[in-house]
Amino acid sequence: KDKKKDKVEANCRTTAKSLKLAKGDVIKVKCPKKCDKKGGTVWGTKDYTADSSICKAAIHAGAMKKKGGKVKIRMIKGKKKYKGSKKHGVKTKKYGKYGASFTFVKD
């Protein structure tokens, strides 16, 4: 049986890159509250760079409320560019080419 984790207890700064996920991986992430304030940086809109804070990106994407909760991410291939935007009180930055991304998936 595959021992790979399908669930992770994250902090506000946990990134997809730090979880060493591969393209196509889908994983559930449990986020604490207030990551809109305490999270790390987020690059992108809808699709986020793999080194973005998962929990802060989740709030931006509307996948999770500011009080925290569980989200599901899927690793996808990197993009030529990412656009920044402001949504749900979280501002993300634009970025150029990056090798890996993640996006949020509904249960």
Side-chain angles (χ1 to χ4, degrees):
K1 195 170 154 10
D2 196 274
K3 282 242 179 7
K4 214 158 94 37
K5 284 216 214 94
D6 58 347
K7 234 164 71 205
V8 168
E9 231 2 276
N11 65 42
C12 291
R13 296 189 172 275
T14 302
T15 66
K17 193 176 175 180
S18 72
L19 299 176
K20 309 232 181 312
L21 301 171
K23 197 175 106 192
D25 283 356
V26 173
I27 188 167
K28 280 191 179 129
V29 181
K30 186 170 188 269
C31 294
K33 59 182 190 274
K34 294 198 172 120
C35 287
D36 55 318
K37 304 277 184 268
K38 296 190 287 215
T41 309
V42 178
W43 293 271
T45 297
K46 200 170 100 49
D47 300 335
Y48 303 91
T49 62
D51 60 344
S52 295
S53 154
I54 295 169
C55 298
K56 193 170 184 176
I59 296 167
H60 179 267
M64 181 185 84
K65 303 267 188 266
K66 292 175 184 172
K67 66 176 196 289
K70 295 187 183 96
V71 291
K72 200 192 259 186
I73 64 167
R74 172 181 289 124
M75 293 305 293
I76 54 176
K77 67 183 176 52
K79 301 175 73 167
K80 286 191 181 76
K81 63 185 211 235
Y82 298 82
K83 79 184 213 298
S85 63
K86 189 169 183 201
K87 288 183 181 161
H88 306 107
V90 172
K91 198 168 160 46
T92 65
K93 297 182 174 180
K94 65 182 173 78
Y95 198 76
K97 196 174 162 145
Y98 195 82
S101 321
F102 67 90
T103 191
F104 294 93
V105 289
K106 299 259 185 284
D107 249 340

